[in-house]
Amino acid sequence: YGCASLKNAPEIPDSVTNVDSMFYECTSLKNAPKIPDGVTNLFYMFKGCTGLLESPLVPATNLVSGCYQHMFDGCTNLSTIYASFLTTPSDVYTEGWVTGVAENGVFYRYKNASWNVIGNNGIPFGWTIQNL
């Protein structure tokens, strides 16, 4: 949290299940760590990481309340996101999760996802959608 000079994130052990706010305001962070499959609390994880260009794969297929809220909020250079969730994004799960990301980018969505939410709670406006 707040490590402005951190450029490369350390590996997150598979035993960790909660990483909320872990890299909040780490403005120099360029490389995000792999997120372990069992992690369900990622709210505010990368908020304000202005150096981040690409997200790690967001592994959960079924979202739980609050899990991705404001996750990439303020990541002004983030232009690639990988998301495998099937749950329809909404204020309950992904409130503001992509607020303030780059104006153009590519959103990789799990091919079986049937949702098409555009905006700060889903896929950023103006981004290209590709299947994972």
Side-chain angles (χ1 to χ4, degrees):
Y1 183 106
C3 298
S5 61
L6 181 68
K7 292 182 182 173
N8 296 301
E11 182 177 331
I12 300 173
D14 288 339
S15 60
V16 171
T17 58
N18 185 343
V19 294
D20 64 272
S21 304
M22 184 176 276
F23 300 106
Y24 186 108
E25 297 284 328
C26 293
T27 54
S28 297
L29 185 66
K30 301 267 187 243
N31 300 307
K34 175 187 178 291
I35 299 173
D37 289 340
V39 175
T40 57
N41 294 316
L42 295 109
F43 49 92
Y44 294 95
M45 184 178 186
F46 298 105
K47 184 175 180 7
C49 291
T50 55
L52 192 62
L53 303 174
E54 181 174 298
S55 84
L57 173 64
V58 181
T61 53
N62 296 305
L63 303 182
V64 297
S65 183
C67 60
Y68 294 159
Q69 290 178 335
H70 299 281
M71 185 176 180
F72 299 114
D73 187 350
C75 295
T76 55
N77 290 301
L78 183 66
S79 59
T80 305
I81 296 175
Y82 301 93
S84 60
F85 53 88
L86 298 173
T87 307
T88 300
S90 69
D91 284 347
V92 175
Y93 310 110
T94 57
E95 178 184 13
W97 88 306
V98 294
T99 301
V101 297
E103 289 184 20
N104 300 297
V106 180
F107 191 96
Y108 290 91
R109 179 177 63 180
Y110 188 59
K111 65 182 176 183
N112 292 336
S114 60
W115 57 269
N116 196 30
V117 175
I118 305 296
N120 292 335
N121 296 342
I123 299 168
F125 290 108
W127 280 35
T128 302
I129 303 167
Q130 297 288 327
N131 287 331
L132 278 175

